[in-house]
């Protein structure tokens, strides 16, 4: 079965940086869109960023645009999220998600993704 595993979450101070990683196995990683979502306590899961199958197209939510960068290494079956200038409102569990269908452009909707990781916690203190 497909496995999605996130890592890199930590506790940092406001203004700091983190890089999240997500490795995927038992899936044609290079052929599918990927995304990062986050969920804070008491809030709905929201899309943070997504990337199409070959990395040519990326999307960001308004709240992270200009601070976060999504990228992928298809040779390593790994997705990344570089997070700079972190703010307390970025505190959440971050989830990696993989599409089931090949060659799609990516989306910030949870409905478009079939495979999910268990999440990695990011905590930003002021």
């Amino acid at each position: 079965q497909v496995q999605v595993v996130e890592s890199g979450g930590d506790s940092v101070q406001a203004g700091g940086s983190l890089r999240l990683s997500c490795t995927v196995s038992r899936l044609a990683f290079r052929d599918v869109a990927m995304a990062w979502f986050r969920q804070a306590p008491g809030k709905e899961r929201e899309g943070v960023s997504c990337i199409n199958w070959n990395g040519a197209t990326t999307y960001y939510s308004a709240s992270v645009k200009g601070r976060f960068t999504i990228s992928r290494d298809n040779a390593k079956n790994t997705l990344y999220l570089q997070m700079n200038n972190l703010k307390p409102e970025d505190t959440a569990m971050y989830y990696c998600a993989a599409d089931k269908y090949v060659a799609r452009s990516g989306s910030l909707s949870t409905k478009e993704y079939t495979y999910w990781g268990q999440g990695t916690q990011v905590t930003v203190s002021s």
Side-chain angles (χ1 to χ4, degrees):
Q1 65 190 47
V2 175
Q3 290 188 328
V4 179
V5 180
E6 304 96 335
S7 62
D10 205 345
S11 296
V12 297
Q13 291 195 328
S17 298
L18 284 174
R19 188 175 84 154
L20 305 184
S21 299
C22 168
T23 57
V24 181
S25 58
R26 304 188 182 93
L27 179 71
F29 178 85
R30 66 179 66 245
D31 293 333
V32 300
M34 298 289 299
W36 288 100
F37 291 79
R38 67 186 182 186
Q39 188 168 19
K43 295 187 177 181
E44 291 189 356
R45 192 168 297 190
E46 63 170 346
V48 174
S49 182
C50 62
I51 187 168
N52 80 322
W53 63 279
N54 66 358
T57 303
T58 58
Y59 296 99
Y60 298 91
S61 68
S63 60
V64 307
K65 194 170 185 178
R67 300 188 296 121
F68 291 10
T69 303
I70 192 171
S71 62
R72 64 191 298 160
D73 185 338
N74 285 349
K76 296 181 178 180
N77 282 16
T78 302
L79 178 74
Y80 302 100
L81 185 68
Q82 178 66 44
M83 305 187 294
N84 297 330
N85 190 22
L86 283 160
K87 303 176 181 181
E89 51 264 42
D90 294 319
T91 295
M93 185 72 79
Y94 283 71
Y95 297 92
C96 174
D99 197 350
K100 178 179 181 180
Y101 302 101
V102 301
R104 297 209 293 185
S105 60
S107 165
L108 294 183
S109 170
T110 57
K111 298 178 181 179
E112 298 297 312
Y113 298 91
T114 302
Y115 307 108
W116 294 81
Q118 295 299 306
T120 187
Q121 178 68 37
V122 173
T123 303
V124 185
S125 58
S126 58

